[in-house]
Amino acid sequence: MKASPEISDAEYQVMKTIWAAGVPLNTNEVVDKLGASTSWKPKTIHTLLSRLVKKGALQYEKNGRVFVYTPLVKESDILAKENDNFLNRFYDGALDSMIVNLLEQDKLSEDDIIALRRILDERLSERR
């Protein structure tokens, strides 16, 4: 898979739909799935698909009268890039600053903190 392009929130929704299917989707399938979960018109969805192709996030193959779309990037790559962008933009790349801010603002519940501790303990034990 190629390097992750910059994509908008709306484009990300389109990509999530295609990733979730686990198989290539044709235009009609994408429109049906997104039409059920958004208020977007088919023309809007077509435009988003076209943008994603231009950005290199999707490729298409013409199959009869429809286009079949396949992702060229992994969701995990997009999320990693977005996480890095977020951290750099708001916390100068410092993860500890973000966590301290979440704690100070009471954004993490006790369950969140327990889950975070468990995840960190598992990662530490994997490294040993």
Side-chain angles (χ1 to χ4, degrees):
M1 301 250 170
K2 18 166 50 168
S4 303
E6 295 286 331
I7 62 173
S8 69
D9 291 343
E11 292 165 343
Y12 179 68
Q13 280 191 280
V14 173
M15 291 299 296
K16 275 181 25 178
T17 299
I18 295 170
W19 287 317
V23 294
L25 293 178
N26 69 42
T27 307
N28 296 331
E29 292 168 326
V30 176
V31 168
D32 289 346
K33 289 178 183 299
L34 284 167
S37 62
T38 68
S39 59
W40 297 342
K41 304 258 186 268
K43 180 77 172 149
T44 301
I45 297 167
H46 290 242
T47 299
L48 291 168
L49 287 166
S50 177
R51 286 183 190 166
L52 288 163
V53 168
K54 286 178 186 167
K55 290 181 177 187
L58 290 176
Q59 70 179 4
Y60 69 90
E61 180 178 302
K62 191 162 181 164
N63 188 355
R65 295 180 60 178
V66 296
F67 293 103
V68 178
Y69 293 92
T70 305
L72 293 175
V73 294
K74 295 178 185 174
E75 184 173 18
S76 59
D77 293 340
I78 294 289
L79 291 175
K81 186 173 190 169
E82 289 301 315
N83 288 340
D84 288 346
N85 290 344
F86 177 81
L87 265 180
N88 288 328
R89 181 173 177 200
F90 295 105
Y91 297 100
D92 293 326
L95 181 60
D96 59 338
S97 294
M98 182 184 80
I99 292 171
V100 168
N101 184 46
L102 292 171
L103 289 167
E104 288 176 351
Q105 300 296 319
D106 265 345
K107 298 292 183 187
L108 296 176
S109 69
E110 187 173 329
D111 288 342
D112 292 333
I113 295 168
I114 291 168
L116 181 58
R117 176 175 279 146
R118 181 182 45 76
I119 292 166
L120 293 172
D121 288 343
E122 287 172 5
R123 294 294 160 100
L124 276 176
S125 66
E126 288 173 5
R127 290 184 178 189
R128 293 180 183 161

